[in-house]
Amino acid sequence: MTREQDIKNAVEVLRKGGVILYPTDTVWGIGCDATNAEAVSRVYAIKQRDDSKALICLVDSDARMQRYVRQVPDVAWQLIDSLKDSDAKPTTIILDGAVNLAPNLIAEDGSIALRITNESFSHELCYRFQKALVSTSANISGEPAAQNFQDIDPRLLEQVDYVCWSRRQEHKPHQPSSIIRLRMDGEVTVIRK
């Protein structure tokens, strides 16, 4: 299967409210339409995760990121610019004032965790989908994240609607993203290095 067809298939499933497994700029992820509350609920159920724990969303650009928060603080733009270097570690930014997303995806304090992906497959997938994409590690809650396709628990493979073919043969270490909390007043907190 070509990468193009793989992305097309995944987008079709996402648009119908389905859940996919896909390679990201970090570990393999479980994904769905971040604006679809029913799909988000399925992701929590598949992961056996308490829905009070927020999930990360991937987007393809800073322009798309702006659709999901009321206002992006200046310090975030500086950080985003610094992350455009291809050698930069993938970094998730938690921002206040989440909007236009499934309510069960937004944290109790109204924040959302967003990451602009520069990795070619997940970037193209987000671009073609034209919406934020849930991106939570492909694992049952409490178990190690799936760094590569062969690390994915078979129970997850059975519960999703589509498993991407791209990068299945990869065998290399991948790490979760750094997570930084940025508040409107400029306060910066590193959650995970």
Side-chain angles (χ1 to χ4, degrees):
M1 179 183 300
T2 65
R3 190 177 98 142
E4 180 73 22
Q5 187 60 50
D6 198 16
I7 288 172
K8 186 178 175 188
N9 293 349
V11 167
E12 202 172 290
V13 169
L14 291 166
R15 287 196 176 129
K16 291 178 181 171
V19 175
I20 66 169
L21 281 172
Y22 67 109
T24 75
D25 52 342
T26 59
V27 296
W28 269 71
I30 300 175
C32 71
D33 177 348
T35 67
N36 183 326
E38 198 174 301
V40 171
S41 289
R42 273 193 63 210
V43 170
Y44 280 117
I46 289 168
K47 277 187 70 84
Q48 300 172 27
R49 183 173 177 165
D50 181 353
D51 65 9
S52 68
K53 291 186 175 183
L55 301 174
I56 292 170
C57 294
L58 284 189
V59 292
D60 64 318
S61 65
D62 45 10
R64 183 118 34 227
M65 184 178 75
Q66 290 181 86
R67 293 183 188 177
Y68 301 110
V69 288
R70 282 193 188 90
Q71 187 180 348
V72 179
D74 291 339
V75 67
W77 295 122
Q78 295 163 15
L79 178 61
I80 289 164
D81 285 343
S82 73
L83 295 171
K84 288 183 178 168
D85 176 359
S86 61
D87 293 336
K89 181 176 181 185
T91 301
T92 300
I93 304 171
I94 300 173
L95 298 168
D96 292 324
V99 293
N100 304 320
L101 292 164
N104 54 343
L105 194 56
I106 299 170
E108 285 182 20
D109 66 0
S111 66
I112 189 65
L114 293 165
R115 183 167 74 250
I116 299 169
T117 178
N118 295 317
E119 182 272 329
S120 64
F121 183 86
S122 54
H123 178 87
E124 183 73 12
L125 178 62
C126 290
Y127 174 75
R128 292 290 175 92
F129 185 50
Q130 296 283 299
K131 291 183 187 178
L133 185 61
V134 166
S135 183
T136 181
S137 55
N139 62 311
I140 306 284
S141 192
E143 294 181 5
Q147 293 185 38
N148 295 288
F149 175 75
Q150 75 270 11
D151 302 325
I152 298 172
D153 187 311
R155 292 174 292 176
L156 295 180
L157 298 171
E158 294 166 7
Q159 294 183 68
V160 299
D161 303 301
Y162 185 74
V163 181
C164 290
W165 288 90
S166 299
R167 293 180 46 202
R168 283 193 187 189
Q169 303 308 316
E170 207 170 76
H171 298 282
K172 61 183 189 180
H174 294 278
Q175 295 178 327
S177 69
S178 297
I179 300 177
I180 297 175
R181 176 81 160 97
L182 301 179
R183 298 207 180 266
M184 283 307 298
D185 63 5
E187 181 187 332
V188 177
T189 308
V190 176
I191 309 287
R192 182 170 70 199
K193 281 191 172 187

